[in-house]
Amino acid sequence: MEFADGKILAEIKDGVGRITFNQPEKRNAMSVTMWAGMGQALDIFEADASVRCIVLTGAGDKAFVSGADISQFDKLRSDADAQREYSRQTAGGRLKLASFPKPVIAEIRGFCMGGGLGIAMSCDIRIAAEGSQFGIPAAKLGIAYGFDMVRHLVDLVGPAHAHMILMTGERFDAQEAQRVGLINKVVAADALSGEVAKLTATLAVNAPLSLYANKRTVQAVLQDRADRDMAAINAAMSACFDSADYHEGRRAFMEKRK
């Protein structure tokens, strides 16, 4: 499947949906149409019960996503009013990723900068290849990132590291990203695909209702108390205990089998 004139590629294989940011000539920088295309792919993956988890990755070996497509800044982000319109146009894709109910893994190779790092932070698990580069160069561009992205950053690394990342605008490597809690794991570049495949294979056979309930609960922990939908969380937990998956899982555990 192709979206955004081929700059967003999507496929489903063995219970895993994969989205590839496909603009390697610009280090997979995100355009407005790519945000919309990603949202379309996510809609398909959410509706397909065979898809148990999804992976986001970048085409080529130079970048996951290097940030927003800066060539559009003069036209689409020239001032505060234009920025508000840009945010409106990209809000659908951002919201769909942030609220996607199934596990989302970022497979990171190369540059993961600015808005690209925002995409990775909206994923549930981040695995990066050695040699990957991270950063939020807002201070060097004279811009500020939105509340949701900064909140994701603070949730992951804490305020002290968030200040360092945002105030310096400097790049840092995968080892440093792992040290501060921005990513889950660093692996050799030639082992990245295999490591992600091993993880998706595990998720694809785990109980989907359990994955959904636990993801929703983790997200709620990070929300303000007034924004937590505890009724929905409790309903998701009850659905697990009433499911055939739970009864089979319990029997399999007692019988010491898969």
Side-chain angles (χ1 to χ4, degrees), residues 8 18 29 31 37 56 58 69 72 101 117 119 127 140 144 156 176-178 181 198 209 212 223 257:
I8 294 291
R18 176 175 287 266
S31 65
L56 305 185
D69 189 343
Q72 297 187 323
L117 184 51
I119 291 172
I127 311 295
K140 297 182 183 296
L156 288 170
E176 178 68 4
Q178 184 180 35
K198 183 169 66 174
L209 291 176
Y212 169 77
Q223 291 176 319
R257 59 174 174 80

Side-chain angles (χ1 to χ4, degrees), residues 6-215:
K7 293 180 180 178
I8 294 291
L9 306 179
E11 65 174 345
I12 299 171
K13 184 178 180 180
D14 298 329
V16 179
R18 176 175 287 266
I19 292 175
T20 301
F21 304 108
N22 186 38
Q23 192 170 208
E25 69 279 7
K26 292 186 176 181
R27 292 180 173 175
N28 302 322
M30 287 289 284
S31 65
V32 170
T33 57
M34 289 171 70
W35 279 107
M38 182 185 70
Q40 291 174 292
L42 290 173
D43 284 342
I44 291 171
F45 292 162
E46 182 174 356
D48 190 334
S50 73
V51 176
R52 299 298 187 89
C53 61
I54 71 170
V55 174
L56 305 185
T57 193
D61 59 3
K62 300 298 184 184
F64 173 71
V65 173
S66 60
D69 189 343
I70 202 166
S71 69
Q72 297 187 323
F73 277 29
D74 282 346
K75 181 179 180 180
L76 300 179
R77 304 177 77 177
S78 58
D79 56 25
D81 287 339
Q83 170 60 30
R84 282 189 282 272
E85 176 60 18
Y86 174 87
S87 295
R88 186 193 68 78
Q89 291 181 26
T90 59
R94 296 177 195 276
L95 179 60
K96 286 176 183 179
L97 178 58
S99 61
F100 194 75
K102 303 174 185 181
V104 185
I105 300 149
E107 180 179 316
I108 301 166
R109 189 188 305 274
F111 290 102
C112 183
M113 308 290 292
L117 184 51
I119 291 172
M121 290 192 298
S122 292
C123 298
D124 305 309
I125 300 172
R126 289 157 292 279
I127 311 295
E130 291 177 346
S132 297
Q133 294 285 310
F134 301 82
I136 300 177
K140 297 182 183 296
L141 292 171
I143 61 175
Y145 284 97
F147 178 83
D148 287 343
M149 180 171 170
V150 175
R151 182 170 185 168
H152 279 155
L153 180 64
V154 175
D155 285 340
L156 288 170
V157 306
H161 290 306
H163 280 313
M164 180 70 82
I165 291 168
L166 291 168
M167 290 182 177
T168 66
E170 299 290 348
R171 296 178 189 173
F172 49 96
D173 62 20
Q175 284 74 21
E176 178 68 4
Q178 184 180 35
R179 186 188 74 82
V180 300
L182 194 59
I183 62 175
N184 296 82
K185 194 171 186 178
V186 182
V187 299
D190 60 0
L192 178 62
S193 297
E195 187 70 25
V196 172
K198 183 169 66 174
L199 176 58
T200 58
T202 297
L203 298 181
V205 298
N206 281 346
L209 291 176
S210 179
L211 295 177
Y212 169 77
N214 289 325
K215 174 171 178 171

